[in-house]
Amino acid sequence: MPSEGLNFLSKDVSSNSCIYSTCWVIALRAEAAPIIKFLKLKNVNTQSNFTIYANEELGHALIISGVGAIKSAAATAFLKAYFNIKNHAAWINLGIAGYYTEPVGNLYQAIKVFSPVHQRTFFPGFRFSKIIPGTSLLTVNKAETNYNNPVLYDMEAFGFCEVASAFSCNELIFVFKVVSDTPENPIKKLKSSIIEDLINENLRDLKELLSEINKLSELEIERLKISDEVIEIENSIHFSKTNSFKFRQLYKKWKFANPRKTLKDLHFSKKNAKEIISVLENNISSNKKNRDYI
Amino acid sequence: MIDTVYFEEEVLQHPTATRVRKALPKANWVPINRFQELFNIRNQNFRIQKKNPALILAKKFENFVLPVPSGFGMNSNKNFYFSHMYNCLYDCDYCFLQGLYSSANYVLFVNYEDFFEHISHTIEKNKNDSQMFFSGYDCDSLAFDKISGFSNQLLQFFEKYQNVEVELRTKSVVTKSLIKRPAIKNCIIAFSLSPNKIAEKLDNKAPSIRRRIKAMKDLADCGWLIGLRFDPLIYTNDWKVQYSELICEIMGQINVSSIHSVSYGLLRFPKKMYKKISNLHNTTGLFAFPLDINNNGVTSYGKEIESEMYHFIQKELQRYLPAKKIFHCTG
C-alpha cells in the first residue's frame, strides 16, 4: 500500500501494465531532491551513468538527466527503456528556469516550448490553469542573462518534449518550471540549497498537480486496458496483428453485453483465432436488438 | 470557460480577435505561427483535451465554400457548406468531429469577410439554380456565438440574398440575438434532436431536449423558420416509443407552418472514422453495438434495423407533416 499521505497517487494498475505510471526527468540533483524525499523514492542500481530513483508502490520513477536538451532527451529514452514504461504513463520535466519578470519562486506550466536552434515548437500537456499559470518557454543552449522575451528560459524542456511525446499522448507530457532567476536576481547567485528551497516551496501545488495528473493517467489506463483473459488467450494461441485487433475490439463489445461472463463460458472447441473471433461475433450479434446500449 | 487563446500573430488586430479579447478578458493569450502547428500535432488525446479545450484564432486561406457530401442536402439543386469554426462546445458521444480531427481545441477563423466574399461568388456562379448553404457542419452554428458574433454578420449578409436559403444547425439555446432582430425568411434555424433519454446519456454538455424545444418555440413565435434534424437516429431497445413521444411533443408545441423541413439519418460513420472514434470510447455503450460495414465502407446498424427505423420515423412524421417537408439524409 502507498505510504500514508500519498494515497491520492495510488492507481488500479492491472497485472499486464508496467508499475511505473509517472516518470520524472529532472536535470539537477538539487531540483530532484525535494521530489525524491516527498515521494519516498529509492535509488535504483542501473549500472549506467544515469541515476534513477523509484517507488514501485506509488508508480513513480525519476531520472536525473544532467544539464542540456540532449542529456534530457537521452535520459527520457533511457528511463522509458529501462522500466519498459507503457504509453499510459505521464512524463514530467520539472526544474528551475529564468523568467523575464519578477518574482523568483513562482511555479509555471510551460504550454508552449520553442527551440530557437531547431525552429520547432511543442505544445505539451493538458493545461492546469486552475492550479498554476501557463506560459511560453524557450529552451536555450546556455544560461540566459538578457531575458529579452516574455517567456521562461531553460536548457532541457525541448529535448524532453521531443522524446517523451513519442512515448505517451501529448496531453500526458508536462513541463513545470520554478522561476529561479530574473533580470533583478541573476543566475550567478544560485546555489544548490536555494534551488532545493525553490522546489520545496512549491510542493503544495505540485501535490495538487500530481493528483490531477493521476486522474488523467487513469483515464488512459482504463482506455488502453487489455483484460488479463485476453492476454492469456493471445499468449496461448497465434493471433495475427489484424486478428488480435479484431479480437480485442469484439471482446470489449462482448464484455459490455456480458459483464458477468468470462471467455471460458464460451467453450471454444478448436481454440484457434478464427474460431474465437467467429464465436464472439455470433454471440454479440444474437439478441443485439433487445439489448439496451444507451 | 476558455482559459487559453492561441492566436496567429497575423490576426491579432482583426476585429473578430478584438471581440474575442473583450469576451475572454481573463484568458492567457499565446502567439503561434499557423494553427496547424498546434491543431495537427501527432499523438493528441481527443478525450483528455476535450476536458479543457483551448481556442485557436486563425485566418482561413482556402476552401471557404464546399459542396455538401452527397445525400446531405434537401430541395435545392445546389447545396454548399462553410465552416467558420472547427469543433464544438458540446461533447456528444456520436459526434463525427472526434474522428475527423485529432484535436478537441476550437479553431475560429476570424476572417468572416472572406467567407462572405466566396459565398457571394458561389451564389453568382449558380444564379440559375436554387441554392442552399449550410453552417454548422464542423461546429455548432450558435453555441459559440456570444464570443464569435458570427451569426449576426451571417444574417446581415444573407438578408441581401432572399432567393438563397441558409441553414444554421445547432443544439444551442443561445437565441437572444436572433429573437432581438426581425426574422429572415430565407434562414432556417435547424435543431439537432434526440429523445430525452438518449440525449441525457449521449449529448454531453448540450442543453436538454426540453430547453431546445422551448428555444425552437420562442424562435417560431418570432417568425423564424425551424428545421428539425433527427440525425443521427439512435437505436435502443425501446426506440419506437422514445421517438414517437419526441415527435409528438415537438408537434404539440411548434406550429407546422413554422417548420421549414425535417430530416433524419441513421448513425453512420466511414469505416476508418468509426475505428478511431470507438477506440476513444472504450466503454461507451453506443460503441458496444455490433455495427455492420456495408460495401461502401460505411459502418451503420445494418439494413434490417435501418429499414425498420426509416419506415417508422417517416410514418410518424407524416402524421403531422406533408411528405415534401421530410428528407432522408444518407450523406
Side-chain angles (χ1 to χ4, degrees), chain B residues 41-82:
Chain B
I41 297 171
R42 284 171 61 191
N43 210 7
Q44 294 183 83
N45 186 309
F46 193 98
R47 295 308 317 154
I48 294 180
Q49 217 176 77
K50 194 74 188 170
K51 290 174 172 293
N52 185 23
L55 171 63
I56 305 170
L57 298 183
K59 183 176 178 183
K60 197 168 177 75
F61 289 95
E62 56 186 1
N63 297 327
F64 290 94
V65 182
L66 295 165
V68 299
S70 68
F72 188 82
M74 278 178 252
N75 264 348
S76 302
N77 294 343
K78 295 280 175 75
N79 296 284
F80 303 96
Y81 77 97
F82 51 89

mmCIF file of all heavy atoms in Angstrom, chain B residues 41-82:
data_model
loop_
_atom_site.group_PDB
_atom_site.id
_atom_site.type_symbol
_atom_site.label_atom_id
_atom_site.label_comp_id
_atom_site.label_asym_id
_atom_site.label_seq_id
_atom_site.Cartn_x
_atom_site.Cartn_y
_atom_site.Cartn_z
ATOM 1 N N ILE B 41 -0.997 18.381 -34.207
ATOM 2 C CA ILE B 41 0.076 17.654 -33.519
ATOM 3 C C ILE B 41 -0.237 16.164 -33.552
ATOM 4 O O ILE B 41 -1.396 15.761 -33.393
ATOM 5 C CB ILE B 41 0.154 18.075 -32.029
ATOM 6 C CG1 ILE B 41 0.495 19.540 -31.888
ATOM 7 C CG2 ILE B 41 1.175 17.235 -31.269
ATOM 8 C CD1 ILE B 41 0.367 20.034 -30.446
ATOM 9 N N ARG B 42 0.809 15.354 -33.728
ATOM 10 C CA ARG B 42 0.600 13.893 -33.682
ATOM 11 C C ARG B 42 0.413 13.453 -32.230
ATOM 12 O O ARG B 42 0.873 14.111 -31.304
ATOM 13 C CB ARG B 42 1.808 13.180 -34.287
ATOM 14 C CG ARG B 42 1.810 13.268 -35.808
ATOM 15 C CD ARG B 42 3.109 12.747 -36.350
ATOM 16 N NE ARG B 42 3.305 11.345 -35.998
ATOM 17 C CZ ARG B 42 4.457 10.708 -36.173
ATOM 18 N NH1 ARG B 42 5.485 11.327 -36.663
ATOM 19 N NH2 ARG B 42 4.567 9.435 -35.840
ATOM 20 N N ASN B 43 -0.266 12.355 -32.044
ATOM 21 C CA ASN B 43 -0.386 11.722 -30.733
ATOM 22 C C ASN B 43 -1.131 12.583 -29.712
ATOM 23 O O ASN B 43 -0.755 12.630 -28.538
ATOM 24 C CB ASN B 43 1.021 11.360 -30.207
ATOM 25 C CG ASN B 43 0.972 10.134 -29.319
ATOM 26 O OD1 ASN B 43 -0.074 9.489 -29.203
ATOM 27 N ND2 ASN B 43 2.079 9.818 -28.679
ATOM 28 N N GLN B 44 -2.176 13.294 -30.191
ATOM 29 C CA GLN B 44 -3.020 14.034 -29.245
ATOM 30 C C GLN B 44 -4.089 13.095 -28.702
ATOM 31 O O GLN B 44 -4.487 12.143 -29.362
ATOM 32 C CB GLN B 44 -3.709 15.201 -29.946
ATOM 33 C CG GLN B 44 -2.755 16.263 -30.426
ATOM 34 C CD GLN B 44 -3.475 17.442 -31.058
ATOM 35 O OE1 GLN B 44 -3.929 18.331 -30.374
ATOM 36 N NE2 GLN B 44 -3.567 17.440 -32.370
ATOM 37 N N ASN B 45 -4.585 13.408 -27.526
ATOM 38 C CA ASN B 45 -5.658 12.609 -26.941
ATOM 39 C C ASN B 45 -6.929 13.461 -26.914
ATOM 40 O O ASN B 45 -7.082 14.350 -26.078
ATOM 41 C CB ASN B 45 -5.280 12.164 -25.528
ATOM 42 C CG ASN B 45 -6.294 11.212 -24.946
ATOM 43 O OD1 ASN B 45 -7.487 11.492 -24.954
ATOM 44 N ND2 ASN B 45 -5.838 10.086 -24.436
ATOM 45 N N PHE B 46 -7.808 13.183 -27.870
ATOM 46 C CA PHE B 46 -9.021 13.991 -28.036
ATOM 47 C C PHE B 46 -9.855 14.003 -26.765
ATOM 48 O O PHE B 46 -10.358 15.043 -26.345
ATOM 49 C CB PHE B 46 -9.838 13.430 -29.209
ATOM 50 C CG PHE B 46 -10.934 14.336 -29.684
ATOM 51 C CD1 PHE B 46 -10.750 15.154 -30.789
ATOM 52 C CD2 PHE B 46 -12.165 14.380 -29.033
ATOM 53 C CE1 PHE B 46 -11.761 15.994 -31.237
ATOM 54 C CE2 PHE B 46 -13.181 15.219 -29.468
ATOM 55 C CZ PHE B 46 -12.975 16.032 -30.574
ATOM 56 N N ARG B 47 -9.991 12.843 -26.132
ATOM 57 C CA ARG B 47 -10.875 12.750 -24.955
ATOM 58 C C ARG B 47 -10.331 13.575 -23.788
ATOM 59 O O ARG B 47 -11.080 14.256 -23.090
ATOM 60 C CB ARG B 47 -11.058 11.295 -24.503
ATOM 61 C CG ARG B 47 -11.765 10.358 -25.435
ATOM 62 C CD ARG B 47 -13.107 10.855 -25.923
ATOM 63 N NE ARG B 47 -13.947 11.466 -24.921
ATOM 64 C CZ ARG B 47 -14.882 12.374 -25.197
ATOM 65 N NH1 ARG B 47 -15.073 12.808 -26.417
ATOM 66 N NH2 ARG B 47 -15.615 12.865 -24.243
ATOM 67 N N ILE B 48 -9.028 13.507 -23.538
ATOM 68 C CA ILE B 48 -8.453 14.293 -22.436
ATOM 69 C C ILE B 48 -8.524 15.780 -22.786
ATOM 70 O O ILE B 48 -8.914 16.604 -21.961
ATOM 71 C CB ILE B 48 -7.000 13.858 -22.133
ATOM 72 C CG1 ILE B 48 -6.974 12.428 -21.588
ATOM 73 C CG2 ILE B 48 -6.355 14.805 -21.122
ATOM 74 C CD1 ILE B 48 -5.579 11.896 -21.264
ATOM 75 N N GLN B 49 -8.184 16.097 -24.024
ATOM 76 C CA GLN B 49 -8.188 17.509 -24.439
ATOM 77 C C GLN B 49 -9.580 18.119 -24.318
ATOM 78 O O GLN B 49 -9.730 19.298 -24.008
ATOM 79 C CB GLN B 49 -7.717 17.584 -25.888
ATOM 80 C CG GLN B 49 -6.855 18.782 -26.191
ATOM 81 C CD GLN B 49 -6.339 18.745 -27.616
ATOM 82 O OE1 GLN B 49 -7.055 19.042 -28.553
ATOM 83 N NE2 GLN B 49 -5.097 18.367 -27.783
ATOM 84 N N LYS B 50 -10.588 17.292 -24.557
ATOM 85 C CA LYS B 50 -11.975 17.778 -24.529
ATOM 86 C C LYS B 50 -12.376 18.272 -23.132
ATOM 87 O O LYS B 50 -13.357 18.988 -22.984
ATOM 88 C CB LYS B 50 -12.908 16.642 -24.995
ATOM 89 C CG LYS B 50 -14.313 17.050 -25.333
ATOM 90 C CD LYS B 50 -14.413 17.794 -26.653
ATOM 91 C CE LYS B 50 -15.809 18.346 -26.863
ATOM 92 N NZ LYS B 50 -15.899 19.262 -27.998
ATOM 93 N N LYS B 51 -11.624 17.902 -22.126
ATOM 94 C CA LYS B 51 -11.936 18.361 -20.770
ATOM 95 C C LYS B 51 -11.615 19.844 -20.589
ATOM 96 O O LYS B 51 -12.133 20.470 -19.672
ATOM 97 C CB LYS B 51 -11.126 17.558 -19.720
ATOM 98 C CG LYS B 51 -11.584 16.133 -19.603
ATOM 99 C CD LYS B 51 -10.654 15.369 -18.678
ATOM 100 C CE LYS B 51 -11.207 14.004 -18.407
ATOM 101 N NZ LYS B 51 -12.440 14.008 -17.628
ATOM 102 N N ASN B 52 -10.736 20.375 -21.419
ATOM 103 C CA ASN B 52 -10.386 21.797 -21.300
ATOM 104 C C ASN B 52 -9.825 22.312 -22.627
ATOM 105 O O ASN B 52 -8.632 22.615 -22.731
ATOM 106 C CB ASN B 52 -9.348 21.983 -20.173
ATOM 107 C CG ASN B 52 -9.037 23.445 -19.922
ATOM 108 O OD1 ASN B 52 -9.842 24.321 -20.234
ATOM 109 N ND2 ASN B 52 -7.858 23.722 -19.387
ATOM 110 N N PRO B 53 -10.683 22.434 -23.637
ATOM 111 C CA PRO B 53 -10.154 22.858 -24.942
ATOM 112 C C PRO B 53 -9.715 24.313 -24.925
ATOM 113 O O PRO B 53 -10.295 25.142 -24.219
ATOM 114 C CB PRO B 53 -11.353 22.674 -25.889
ATOM 115 C CG PRO B 53 -12.384 21.933 -25.121
ATOM 116 C CD PRO B 53 -12.122 22.195 -23.668
ATOM 117 N N ALA B 54 -8.695 24.598 -25.709
ATOM 118 C CA ALA B 54 -8.254 25.986 -25.903
ATOM 119 C C ALA B 54 -8.936 26.518 -27.160
ATOM 120 O O ALA B 54 -9.477 25.755 -27.966
ATOM 121 C CB ALA B 54 -6.743 26.023 -26.068
ATOM 122 N N LEU B 55 -8.896 27.830 -27.312
ATOM 123 C CA LEU B 55 -9.403 28.453 -28.538
ATOM 124 C C LEU B 55 -8.202 28.861 -29.383
ATOM 125 O O LEU B 55 -7.242 29.429 -28.858
ATOM 126 C CB LEU B 55 -10.258 29.673 -28.182
ATOM 127 C CG LEU B 55 -10.701 30.561 -29.344
ATOM 128 C CD1 LEU B 55 -11.597 29.787 -30.315
ATOM 129 C CD2 LEU B 55 -11.465 31.788 -28.818
ATOM 130 N N ILE B 56 -8.279 28.559 -30.670
ATOM 131 C CA ILE B 56 -7.217 28.981 -31.596
ATOM 132 C C ILE B 56 -7.835 29.972 -32.578
ATOM 133 O O ILE B 56 -8.839 29.657 -33.225
ATOM 134 C CB ILE B 56 -6.644 27.772 -32.367
ATOM 135 C CG1 ILE B 56 -6.151 26.685 -31.400
ATOM 136 C CG2 ILE B 56 -5.527 28.213 -33.296
ATOM 137 C CD1 ILE B 56 -5.795 25.364 -32.081
ATOM 138 N N LEU B 57 -7.261 31.155 -32.670
ATOM 139 C CA LEU B 57 -7.737 32.143 -33.640
ATOM 140 C C LEU B 57 -6.829 32.075 -34.865
ATOM 141 O O LEU B 57 -5.606 32.188 -34.738
ATOM 142 C CB LEU B 57 -7.699 33.553 -33.050
ATOM 143 C CG LEU B 57 -8.587 33.801 -31.827
ATOM 144 C CD1 LEU B 57 -8.499 35.265 -31.419
ATOM 145 C CD2 LEU B 57 -10.035 33.430 -32.106
ATOM 146 N N ALA B 58 -7.450 31.891 -36.023
ATOM 147 C CA ALA B 58 -6.654 31.682 -37.230
ATOM 148 C C ALA B 58 -7.275 32.405 -38.416
ATOM 149 O O ALA B 58 -8.415 32.877 -38.342
ATOM 150 C CB ALA B 58 -6.559 30.186 -37.521
ATOM 151 N N LYS B 59 -6.504 32.452 -39.491
ATOM 152 C CA LYS B 59 -7.031 33.007 -40.737
ATOM 153 C C LYS B 59 -7.183 31.877 -41.737
ATOM 154 O O LYS B 59 -6.288 31.043 -41.875
ATOM 155 C CB LYS B 59 -6.065 34.065 -41.285
ATOM 156 C CG LYS B 59 -6.579 34.737 -42.534
ATOM 157 C CD LYS B 59 -5.656 35.844 -43.000
ATOM 158 C CE LYS B 59 -6.204 36.445 -44.299
ATOM 159 N NZ LYS B 59 -5.335 37.470 -44.845
ATOM 160 N N LYS B 60 -8.330 31.855 -42.425
ATOM 161 C CA LYS B 60 -8.535 30.812 -43.436
ATOM 162 C C LYS B 60 -8.140 31.362 -44.798
ATOM 163 O O LYS B 60 -8.409 32.533 -45.102
ATOM 164 C CB LYS B 60 -9.995 30.364 -43.443
ATOM 165 C CG LYS B 60 -10.236 29.041 -44.142
ATOM 166 C CD LYS B 60 -11.636 28.504 -43.876
ATOM 167 C CE LYS B 60 -11.920 27.227 -44.611
ATOM 168 N NZ LYS B 60 -11.267 26.066 -44.043
ATOM 169 N N PHE B 61 -7.489 30.511 -45.587
ATOM 170 C CA PHE B 61 -6.997 30.978 -46.883
ATOM 171 C C PHE B 61 -7.702 30.309 -48.064
ATOM 172 O O PHE B 61 -7.667 30.819 -49.170
ATOM 173 C CB PHE B 61 -5.488 30.711 -46.999
ATOM 174 C CG PHE B 61 -4.671 31.601 -46.111
ATOM 175 C CD1 PHE B 61 -4.273 31.176 -44.846
ATOM 176 C CD2 PHE B 61 -4.303 32.870 -46.522
ATOM 177 C CE1 PHE B 61 -3.519 31.997 -44.022
ATOM 178 C CE2 PHE B 61 -3.550 33.699 -45.705
ATOM 179 C CZ PHE B 61 -3.166 33.272 -44.451
ATOM 180 N N GLU B 62 -8.284 29.134 -47.851
ATOM 181 C CA GLU B 62 -8.884 28.416 -48.989
ATOM 182 C C GLU B 62 -10.047 27.557 -48.516
ATOM 183 O O GLU B 62 -10.300 27.437 -47.319
ATOM 184 C CB GLU B 62 -7.827 27.535 -49.669
ATOM 185 C CG GLU B 62 -7.182 26.560 -48.696
ATOM 186 C CD GLU B 62 -6.047 25.771 -49.303
ATOM 187 O OE1 GLU B 62 -5.726 25.981 -50.477
ATOM 188 O OE2 GLU B 62 -5.487 24.926 -48.573
ATOM 189 N N ASN B 63 -10.759 26.986 -49.496
ATOM 190 C CA ASN B 63 -11.901 26.102 -49.214
ATOM 191 C C ASN B 63 -12.939 26.773 -48.306
ATOM 192 O O ASN B 63 -13.407 26.175 -47.341
ATOM 193 C CB ASN B 63 -11.431 24.792 -48.559
ATOM 194 C CG ASN B 63 -10.525 24.001 -49.470
ATOM 195 O OD1 ASN B 63 -10.693 24.038 -50.683
ATOM 196 N ND2 ASN B 63 -9.556 23.310 -48.896
ATOM 197 N N PHE B 64 -13.296 27.989 -48.640
ATOM 198 C CA PHE B 64 -14.295 28.707 -47.843
ATOM 199 C C PHE B 64 -15.686 28.095 -48.023
ATOM 200 O O PHE B 64 -16.455 28.020 -47.079
ATOM 201 C CB PHE B 64 -14.327 30.182 -48.246
ATOM 202 C CG PHE B 64 -13.105 30.937 -47.825
ATOM 203 C CD1 PHE B 64 -12.030 31.095 -48.685
ATOM 204 C CD2 PHE B 64 -13.019 31.485 -46.564
ATOM 205 C CE1 PHE B 64 -10.893 31.778 -48.290
ATOM 206 C CE2 PHE B 64 -11.878 32.175 -46.150
ATOM 207 C CZ PHE B 64 -10.815 32.319 -47.019
ATOM 208 N N VAL B 65 -16.000 27.717 -49.255
ATOM 209 C CA VAL B 65 -17.327 27.154 -49.560
ATOM 210 C C VAL B 65 -17.119 25.828 -50.273
ATOM 211 O O VAL B 65 -16.361 25.753 -51.239
ATOM 212 C CB VAL B 65 -18.128 28.110 -50.478
ATOM 213 C CG1 VAL B 65 -19.519 27.551 -50.744
ATOM 214 C CG2 VAL B 65 -18.234 29.494 -49.845
ATOM 215 N N LEU B 66 -17.802 24.799 -49.789
ATOM 216 C CA LEU B 66 -17.631 23.464 -50.372
ATOM 217 C C LEU B 66 -18.992 22.833 -50.649
ATOM 218 O O LEU B 66 -19.972 23.124 -49.942
ATOM 219 C CB LEU B 66 -16.860 22.561 -49.409
ATOM 220 C CG LEU B 66 -15.417 22.962 -49.114
ATOM 221 C CD1 LEU B 66 -14.892 22.235 -47.891
ATOM 222 C CD2 LEU B 66 -14.529 22.681 -50.325
ATOM 223 N N PRO B 67 -19.082 21.986 -51.688
ATOM 224 C CA PRO B 67 -20.346 21.271 -51.911
ATOM 225 C C PRO B 67 -20.597 20.292 -50.777
ATOM 226 O O PRO B 67 -19.648 19.707 -50.236
ATOM 227 C CB PRO B 67 -20.123 20.538 -53.233
ATOM 228 C CG PRO B 67 -18.665 20.581 -53.484
ATOM 229 C CD PRO B 67 -18.057 21.652 -52.659
ATOM 230 N N VAL B 68 -21.860 20.104 -50.378
ATOM 231 C CA VAL B 68 -22.147 19.174 -49.278
ATOM 232 C C VAL B 68 -21.908 17.738 -49.744
ATOM 233 O O VAL B 68 -21.974 17.466 -50.946
ATOM 234 C CB VAL B 68 -23.604 19.304 -48.762
ATOM 235 C CG1 VAL B 68 -23.872 20.691 -48.221
ATOM 236 C CG2 VAL B 68 -24.604 18.926 -49.835
ATOM 237 N N PRO B 69 -21.628 16.818 -48.831
ATOM 238 C CA PRO B 69 -21.494 15.416 -49.227
ATOM 239 C C PRO B 69 -22.809 14.924 -49.841
ATOM 240 O O PRO B 69 -23.874 15.422 -49.481
ATOM 241 C CB PRO B 69 -21.225 14.691 -47.901
ATOM 242 C CG PRO B 69 -20.797 15.743 -46.951
ATOM 243 C CD PRO B 69 -21.437 17.010 -47.389
ATOM 244 N N SER B 70 -22.732 13.974 -50.756
ATOM 245 C CA SER B 70 -23.961 13.500 -51.409
ATOM 246 C C SER B 70 -24.894 12.902 -50.353
ATOM 247 O O SER B 70 -24.448 12.256 -49.407
ATOM 248 C CB SER B 70 -23.639 12.466 -52.480
ATOM 249 O OG SER B 70 -23.153 11.311 -51.869
ATOM 250 N N GLY B 71 -26.177 13.151 -50.520
ATOM 251 C CA GLY B 71 -27.169 12.632 -49.574
ATOM 252 C C GLY B 71 -27.396 13.543 -48.388
ATOM 253 O O GLY B 71 -28.146 13.230 -47.470
ATOM 254 N N PHE B 72 -26.743 14.722 -48.369
ATOM 255 C CA PHE B 72 -26.858 15.618 -47.221
ATOM 256 C C PHE B 72 -27.883 16.725 -47.451
ATOM 257 O O PHE B 72 -28.525 17.184 -46.531
ATOM 258 C CB PHE B 72 -25.480 16.236 -46.923
ATOM 259 C CG PHE B 72 -25.420 17.035 -45.651
ATOM 260 C CD1 PHE B 72 -25.243 16.401 -44.432
ATOM 261 C CD2 PHE B 72 -25.569 18.418 -45.659
ATOM 262 C CE1 PHE B 72 -25.187 17.135 -43.248
ATOM 263 C CE2 PHE B 72 -25.514 19.157 -44.485
ATOM 264 C CZ PHE B 72 -25.331 18.509 -43.273
ATOM 265 N N GLY B 73 -28.050 17.170 -48.673
ATOM 266 C CA GLY B 73 -28.889 18.348 -48.953
ATOM 267 C C GLY B 73 -30.377 18.076 -48.904
ATOM 268 O O GLY B 73 -30.822 16.997 -48.535
ATOM 269 N N MET B 74 -31.157 19.104 -49.286
ATOM 270 C CA MET B 74 -32.619 18.950 -49.305
ATOM 271 C C MET B 74 -33.153 19.272 -50.680
ATOM 272 O O MET B 74 -32.711 18.721 -51.656
ATOM 273 C CB MET B 74 -33.217 19.817 -48.213
ATOM 274 C CG MET B 74 -33.127 19.085 -46.874
ATOM 275 S SD MET B 74 -33.728 20.004 -45.499
ATOM 276 C CE MET B 74 -32.230 20.375 -44.691
ATOM 277 N N ASN B 75 -34.112 20.221 -50.762
ATOM 278 C CA ASN B 75 -34.806 20.519 -52.007
ATOM 279 C C ASN B 75 -33.973 21.160 -53.094
ATOM 280 O O ASN B 75 -34.249 20.986 -54.268
ATOM 281 C CB ASN B 75 -35.936 21.515 -51.687
ATOM 282 C CG ASN B 75 -37.228 20.797 -51.486
ATOM 283 O OD1 ASN B 75 -37.301 19.636 -51.802
ATOM 284 N ND2 ASN B 75 -38.221 21.461 -50.973
ATOM 285 N N SER B 76 -32.984 21.938 -52.665
ATOM 286 C CA SER B 76 -32.294 22.802 -53.614
ATOM 287 C C SER B 76 -31.456 21.993 -54.604
ATOM 288 O O SER B 76 -31.001 20.894 -54.296
ATOM 289 C CB SER B 76 -31.386 23.769 -52.860
ATOM 290 O OG SER B 76 -32.148 24.516 -51.958
ATOM 291 N N ASN B 77 -31.237 22.604 -55.776
ATOM 292 C CA ASN B 77 -30.399 21.941 -56.783
ATOM 293 C C ASN B 77 -28.950 21.926 -56.344
ATOM 294 O O ASN B 77 -28.227 20.974 -56.581
ATOM 295 C CB ASN B 77 -30.486 22.691 -58.112
ATOM 296 C CG ASN B 77 -31.877 22.604 -58.691
ATOM 297 O OD1 ASN B 77 -32.664 21.750 -58.293
ATOM 298 N ND2 ASN B 77 -32.186 23.499 -59.615
ATOM 299 N N LYS B 78 -28.528 23.035 -55.738
ATOM 300 C CA LYS B 78 -27.130 23.151 -55.338
ATOM 301 C C LYS B 78 -27.050 23.381 -53.826
ATOM 302 O O LYS B 78 -27.689 24.300 -53.299
ATOM 303 C CB LYS B 78 -26.461 24.330 -56.064
ATOM 304 C CG LYS B 78 -26.367 24.168 -57.582
ATOM 305 C CD LYS B 78 -25.198 23.270 -57.970
ATOM 306 C CE LYS B 78 -25.111 22.969 -59.438
ATOM 307 N NZ LYS B 78 -24.615 24.064 -60.239
ATOM 308 N N ASN B 79 -26.276 22.542 -53.159
ATOM 309 C CA ASN B 79 -26.130 22.655 -51.699
ATOM 310 C C ASN B 79 -24.654 22.811 -51.336
ATOM 311 O O ASN B 79 -23.821 22.046 -51.822
ATOM 312 C CB ASN B 79 -26.679 21.404 -51.019
ATOM 313 C CG ASN B 79 -28.168 21.241 -51.247
ATOM 314 O OD1 ASN B 79 -28.972 21.930 -50.641
ATOM 315 N ND2 ASN B 79 -28.540 20.343 -52.149
ATOM 316 N N PHE B 80 -24.382 23.787 -50.511
ATOM 317 C CA PHE B 80 -22.995 24.074 -50.127
ATOM 318 C C PHE B 80 -22.894 24.193 -48.601
ATOM 319 O O PHE B 80 -23.902 24.447 -47.933
ATOM 320 C CB PHE B 80 -22.519 25.392 -50.743
ATOM 321 C CG PHE B 80 -22.621 25.420 -52.236
ATOM 322 C CD1 PHE B 80 -23.728 25.996 -52.857
ATOM 323 C CD2 PHE B 80 -21.631 24.874 -53.032
ATOM 324 C CE1 PHE B 80 -23.843 26.006 -54.240
ATOM 325 C CE2 PHE B 80 -21.734 24.892 -54.411
ATOM 326 C CZ PHE B 80 -22.846 25.462 -55.024
ATOM 327 N N TYR B 81 -21.680 24.028 -48.085
ATOM 328 C CA TYR B 81 -21.484 24.299 -46.663
ATOM 329 C C TYR B 81 -20.214 25.113 -46.451
ATOM 330 O O TYR B 81 -19.347 25.172 -47.339
ATOM 331 C CB TYR B 81 -21.443 23.006 -45.838
ATOM 332 C CG TYR B 81 -20.164 22.208 -45.898
ATOM 333 C CD1 TYR B 81 -19.186 22.343 -44.912
ATOM 334 C CD2 TYR B 81 -19.940 21.305 -46.930
ATOM 335 C CE1 TYR B 81 -18.012 21.601 -44.959
ATOM 336 C CE2 TYR B 81 -18.780 20.564 -46.988
ATOM 337 C CZ TYR B 81 -17.815 20.714 -46.002
ATOM 338 O OH TYR B 81 -16.661 19.983 -46.060
ATOM 339 N N PHE B 82 -20.164 25.770 -45.325
ATOM 340 C CA PHE B 82 -18.960 26.524 -44.962
ATOM 341 C C PHE B 82 -18.723 26.357 -43.466
ATOM 342 O O PHE B 82 -19.665 26.154 -42.700
ATOM 343 C CB PHE B 82 -19.101 28.012 -45.326
ATOM 344 C CG PHE B 82 -20.353 28.642 -44.813
ATOM 345 C CD1 PHE B 82 -20.374 29.232 -43.545
ATOM 346 C CD2 PHE B 82 -21.509 28.648 -45.558
ATOM 347 C CE1 PHE B 82 -21.529 29.805 -43.047
ATOM 348 C CE2 PHE B 82 -22.678 29.221 -45.067
ATOM 349 C CZ PHE B 82 -22.695 29.803 -43.813
#
